[in-house]
Amino acid sequence: MRRHAIARQYLFALGVSVLLAAPCAASPQVSLSVGFDQQVVRNTFTPFEIEIAGLASPVDGTLKVRQSAGLPGERRAEIVHVIQSGTIENGTLRATLPLVEPLNPVTVELVAQDGRTVAVAEQSLRLGVRQWAYPLTVGRPTGIASAAVVGAEELPLDWWAYDAVREVWLVDPPFSEPALQALGEWTVSGGSLLIVSGSAYPRMDSPTLRRLLPLSAPQLEEAEDGTFFVGGAQRAEAETVLKRGVRPLLVQMPLGAGRVSLVTVALADLGPGELELIAERIPQAQRPPTTERVSAALLRSTRVPRPAYWLAPAVTGVTLASLVAFGLWGTRRRWTFGAFVGSLVALAAWSGFYGNSHKRFVREYSMITNVSVLSSFGINTAFSSFYAVEPRSVTMRHELGSFPAGGYVLGARGGTLSAESEAGQTRFALQAAERRDLLFHSRPAAESLRFRFDGTYAEIENRTGKTLANAYLAADDAILSLPAIQPGTQRLAVQTGLMLGEARSTYLSLRSILRPIEEWLPIAQRGVWLVTLEEWPEATDRDAPTLEREVWITILQGERT
Amino acid sequence: MKRILIGERGLWVYATFVAGCGLALTLSMPWTSTLSDLMSYPWRPFPLPFFLTYGFLSAWVALDRAAEAVPVGRPRVAFLAVAALRVGFTQLLALPLVAASRALFPDDWAAIPLAAAYVVAASLAFAAGAVVLEILAVRRGRHPAGLRYGLFFAWLGLPAILLAVAGPIRTLAQLSPAVAVASIVGGDVALPGVLVAFAAPALATVAFTVWCLVLSKGAST
């Protein structure tokens, strides 16, 4: 009996505990993981992973990440990114966001449609703050100093998420195709990718990986000592950097503005000191080119709509002339007064119409410079500059899935400098006479240009549907001006050209565009490239007095035949 | 016609008026052609200097030409008509410049006719006042220029002191033509303010006209 009573008491206590704990277990929770292995660098695009758990049912609301610009203790400005709006369920969401100031805590909050905060979490990133880009190892630790280590499943799918990474070591497969695609795009943008293969190669082999390899027909070979190497014919631009005996140990190849390195053996098969030798020969990633200078120059050269200089002096002069004529001859001719009045009324009507048609006062100017680099993989990077004549609330529309960065540096002047980004648009406030720059990365649309060059003729397939008026071909340290490229396929003779050095100083548009791009991607030394430059007509809106200019620069790698 | 509208030495007065207004309009026009100029020297349409110049010079021409229209020994009622014609002539000269000032109003342009109407009303009041002062001065054998311009500047400036006062009495600052023009062009004046602004020259014109008629009747008897 006594034992039964004790058991009943235990059961009662357990039941009460379960009942009390049940609401806690079901309470919605959000958690946040920022950066690779929690490592972050200020003012870089950074992967964010948000986990939502404990929702009893899907919530109609908004999931926001809040950051603040400005150092602690100083003036702050809030930067909000709306990660998802609508029906939100339990699960994991990933986004690549610009990390503004990691010394300030980052907050993620789930807010219901009625404004009620469903769940909120704040995270300090202080312990993971780094000053410079760092190496990233995918799979397991390699022994590389200060490397962040992540699993293959954690790799982000946006190429700009690797903004703070110095080099990526792919060690432990399998790697998903979208992740490899993003790594290939990042390499084209200036990244440094190292693939450690050897015996692990069969588990990592995929069509996308083959596009990344410096070998055209990779295959697994066994050396005399039983070590497995990845061998095969090297691509034209590939070079052997390190050897073990007669076999290449480290092969490198440029890819766009970046470089791919292949270690032909598995990590475990590397001999003493070989890892250090390899690490020394891996180039550091470079960030994609900022077209800030091009964008700023084009913005500054944008014309300001206004009436002609001569309007007021001309009207004054004609009025004075009429007055003097009337004053001198008004008494001699009867019709002079009628002519005088008629001329002034006609002049007033004309100047009124002229003033009416030239009265437009643009309050907001914007300049968007888009650069597309299309090699084995493609990237888009856009730099937008905004200038407001008077205080304005600006809405920048952009592609879904990416958020712009920049413009969050607090100046000495007043104002909020805050911004709110959501899918497809970013809103921020501009003060009078303030310029704001924003950087935006994305993927290019489907390829619509192809070309091959045999040294004399360029065969170009233009499926853009437009005539490309400004096109240049870069090959063998020379830049060749092409005639207008009509839609369709055509064969163009390319016989006269300028050395790049001359071109840089000859064509103003080329000079301003080639310089920053060449510092990043030496097109003259990396195969043949087609550079097209399109300026879209100024877009103006009478209801919202804005003036928008947009320039597209496409840099396409071609095939030499 | 020329003698009635322009009068003695009037060509230079009107030419100065046109040139002064033209200069103000020229300086008010945007001069920046590229955004780099605009960034270095921020500029936005600012039509007030032109309208203040136009109003001030209109009043000056009205005072000068109306006073000049009062010769000794003529029937005095006609002076008012001549003064009014000269005000009309002045506004005819200003018409092309006022129309061109449309370029300085990117949004709402209702201020242009309103400001121009106010300038006409104020000029008529100044012209009528100048005629009365001239008649009185001729009767007393004095030169009225000092009194004329003294009263002109007093009317221009004294009500503006009320701008420093808070409350409804501040509306009376609109009695000053300079404040009224600035408020109309700036678009920051409510209906009571507009009524006060227009009431002042209207009442002054009526008062000066009646006074002129009384003086004229007295002279004829």
Side-chain angles (χ1 to χ4, degrees), chain B residues 33-153:
Chain B
S33 53
T34 60
L35 201 52
S36 60
D37 295 335
L38 196 64
M39 286 173 170
S40 306
Y41 308 99
W43 181 96
R44 70 180 316 285
F46 192 56
L48 187 58
F50 165 71
F51 274 91
L52 284 177
T53 310
Y54 157 56
F56 181 84
L57 290 177
S58 289
W60 169 67
V61 174
L63 286 172
D64 183 85
R65 290 295 88 197
E68 196 272 336
V70 183
V72 183
R74 287 268 189 93
R76 286 159 184 164
V77 183
F79 304 156
L80 282 172
V82 173
L85 278 173
R86 289 183 177 183
V87 167
F89 184 73
T90 311
Q91 298 311 311
L92 180 68
L93 289 172
L95 192 60
L97 294 162
V98 173
S101 75
R102 174 72 181 100
L104 298 175
F105 289 85
D107 302 320
D108 184 24
W109 57 274
I112 301 176
L114 203 60
Y118 179 81
V119 169
V120 173
S123 300
L124 284 172
F126 284 122
V131 169
V132 170
L133 284 178
E134 193 69 22
I135 292 169
L136 290 172
V138 168
R139 182 179 287 180
R140 290 170 191 170
R142 291 180 184 168
H143 200 276
L147 184 62
R148 187 196 311 150
Y149 290 108
L151 287 175
F152 167 62
F153 282 110

Side-chain angles (χ1 to χ4, degrees), chain A residues 44-46 48 50 63-65 67 79-85 94-99 158 160-161 163 382 396-406 408 419-427 438-442:
Chain A
T44 56
F45 285 99
T46 305
F48 280 61
I50 301 155
L63 186 70
K64 291 179 180 177
V65 171
Q67 303 180 60
I79 314 294
V80 181
H81 291 98
V82 178
I83 307 300
Q84 192 178 349
S85 282
R94 286 177 169 188
T96 304
L97 306 181
L99 183 70
D158 299 324
W160 54 97
D163 199 16
M396 175 195 175
R397 301 203 181 281
H398 47 72
E399 290 169 42
L400 298 173
S402 181
F403 297 96
Y408 303 141
E420 180 162 335
S421 279
E422 56 187 79
Q425 63 178 31
T426 293
R427 289 183 299 275
L438 291 173
L439 179 67
F440 183 80
H441 294 314
S442 62

Side-chain angles (χ1 to χ4, degrees), chain A residues 307 311 350-360, chain B residues 99-100 102-104:
Chain A
L311 173 66
W350 175 83
S351 62
F353 281 122
Y354 183 88
N356 193 48
S357 59
H358 290 81
K359 69 181 187 305
R360 200 165 66 87
Chain B
R102 174 72 181 100
L104 298 175

Side-chain angles (χ1 to χ4, degrees), chain A residues 268-351:
Chain A
D269 295 331
L270 286 174
E274 281 183 335
L275 185 70
E276 289 72 22
L277 278 174
I278 290 168
E280 282 171 15
R281 282 161 176 78
I282 303 303
Q284 291 193 7
Q286 52 174 337
R287 297 177 85 176
T290 166
T291 50
E292 182 182 357
R293 276 183 288 173
V294 180
S295 202
L298 291 170
L299 182 74
R300 292 176 69 82
S301 69
T302 302
R303 66 175 184 84
V304 174
R306 57 166 179 76
Y309 286 126
W310 47 263
L311 173 66
V315 171
T316 308
V318 174
T319 307
L320 274 176
S322 304
L323 174 67
V324 170
F326 176 65
L328 292 177
W329 299 300
T331 49
R332 295 181 199 165
R333 304 270 190 276
R334 284 193 157 195
W335 51 267
T336 47
F337 182 68
F340 170 70
V341 172
S343 64
L344 286 186
V345 168
L347 181 64
W350 175 83
S351 62

